[in-house]
């Protein structure tokens, strides 16, 4: 069976360590899984319920919902800003709420920094409220103390590489239908 996951980078920074992590994910993806990156975070308008209607829905929001609906699972790599989630990323989640096929989808949470003490728990809380199925075994934290990392470093470091591969295997397992019970 083949599954597709969609990844989200919570940072818009050009040299983002979270984006480097997602590029490493694309390089290390195991057989049976393909990865597509959502690139529309900066294109979404500010969320307002006034536009959250079929006839008024902005094209960027419709595209987000279509991409999420088409994916079997999601992977988020999100930094912490001012003890919270980056505003542009939270805006993405607010638009995602209207995706009728989001509830129950498996979600993995990847973290790069050893320093983030608040945003990871906030992200979990928001996703639980959205009825996501967070897969704990697919979550990981590289525990870095710098954001000056690139994909070559992440793929060549044995520990980071193993953490990413293990998380991807866990995502794939979470997507496979389990044995049927009589
Ligand atoms: C405006 C701003 C606020 C930040 N606030 C925090 C914070 O509260 N806690 C923290 O651990 N790091 C904080 N950071 C550091 C970022 O989370 C860190 O640089 C992270 O690596 C950024 O992700 P990126 O490398 O993907 O861009 C902040 C950075 C910026 C620019």
């Amino acid at each position: 069976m083949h599954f597709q996951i969609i990844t989200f980078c919570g940072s818009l920074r050009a040299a983002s360590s979270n984006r480097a992590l997602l590029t490493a994910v694309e390089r290390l993806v195991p057989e049976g899984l393909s990865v597509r990156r959502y690139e529309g975070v900066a294109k979404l308008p500010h969320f307002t319920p006034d536009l959250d209607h079929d006839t008024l829905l902005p094209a960027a929001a419709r595209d987000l919902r279509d991409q999420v609906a088409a994916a079997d699972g999601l992977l988020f790599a999100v930094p912490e800003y001012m003890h919270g989630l980056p505003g542009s990323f939270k805006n993405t989640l607010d638009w995602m709420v209207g995706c009728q096929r989001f509830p129950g989808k498996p979600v993995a949470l990847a973290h790069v920094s050893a320093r983030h003490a608040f945003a990871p728990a906030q992200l979990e809380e928001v996703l639980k409220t959205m009825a996501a199925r967070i897969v704990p075994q697919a979550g990981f934290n590289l525990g870095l103390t710098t954001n000056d990392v690139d994909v070559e470093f992440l793929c060549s470091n044995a520990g980071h590489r193993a953490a990413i591969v293990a998380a991807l295997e866990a995502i794939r397992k979470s997507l496979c239908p389990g044995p049927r019970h009589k």
Side-chain angles (χ1 to χ4, degrees):
M1 286 181 98
H2 196 93
F3 300 101
Q4 192 199 66
I5 58 170
I6 183 165
T7 65
F8 290 81
C9 181
S11 170
L12 298 176
R13 195 167 69 92
S16 162
S17 53
N18 285 281
R19 185 168 294 111
L21 170 61
L22 294 183
T23 307
V25 160
E26 285 157 18
R27 288 201 193 168
L28 299 172
V29 70
E31 234 173 81
L33 203 63
S34 57
V35 179
R36 174 196 181 109
R37 202 182 310 187
Y38 177 70
E39 297 282 12
V41 170
K43 294 178 200 139
L44 287 164
H46 292 166
F47 176 77
T48 166
D50 291 341
L51 294 178
D52 195 1
H53 297 285
D54 213 28
T55 49
L56 299 174
L57 194 68
R62 192 179 300 279
D63 176 60
L64 167 72
R65 291 178 186 178
D66 287 347
Q67 290 197 46
V68 169
D72 298 299
L74 297 86
L75 170 67
F76 294 104
V78 181
E80 175 168 302
Y81 281 174
M82 306 309 291
H83 290 186
L85 297 170
S88 56
F89 175 73
K90 176 61 168 57
N91 186 53
T92 305
L93 294 179
D94 289 343
W95 279 116
M96 204 183 293
V97 169
C99 174
Q100 312 235 320
R101 290 184 53 200
F102 176 79
K105 286 221 193 243
V107 171
L109 304 182
H111 300 288
V112 173
S113 171
R115 298 198 177 110
H116 298 350
F118 300 91
Q122 289 176 21
L123 180 55
E124 280 200 32
E125 180 60 29
V126 173
L127 289 170
K128 279 181 194 159
T129 308
M130 291 168 66
R133 177 160 71 90
I134 297 174
V135 181
Q137 313 88 296
F140 63 103
N141 189 334
L142 298 181
L144 302 181
T145 52
T146 173
N147 62 12
D148 187 15
V149 294
D150 62 14
V151 61
E152 307 304 337
F153 168 73
L154 295 178
C155 288
S156 60
N157 177 287
H160 298 329
R161 193 186 170 95
I164 294 167
V165 168
L168 288 167
E169 288 293 351
I171 294 173
R172 193 176 54 168
K173 266 195 198 148
S174 78
L175 293 168
C176 284
R180 286 177 189 276
H181 298 289
K182 285 190 181 166

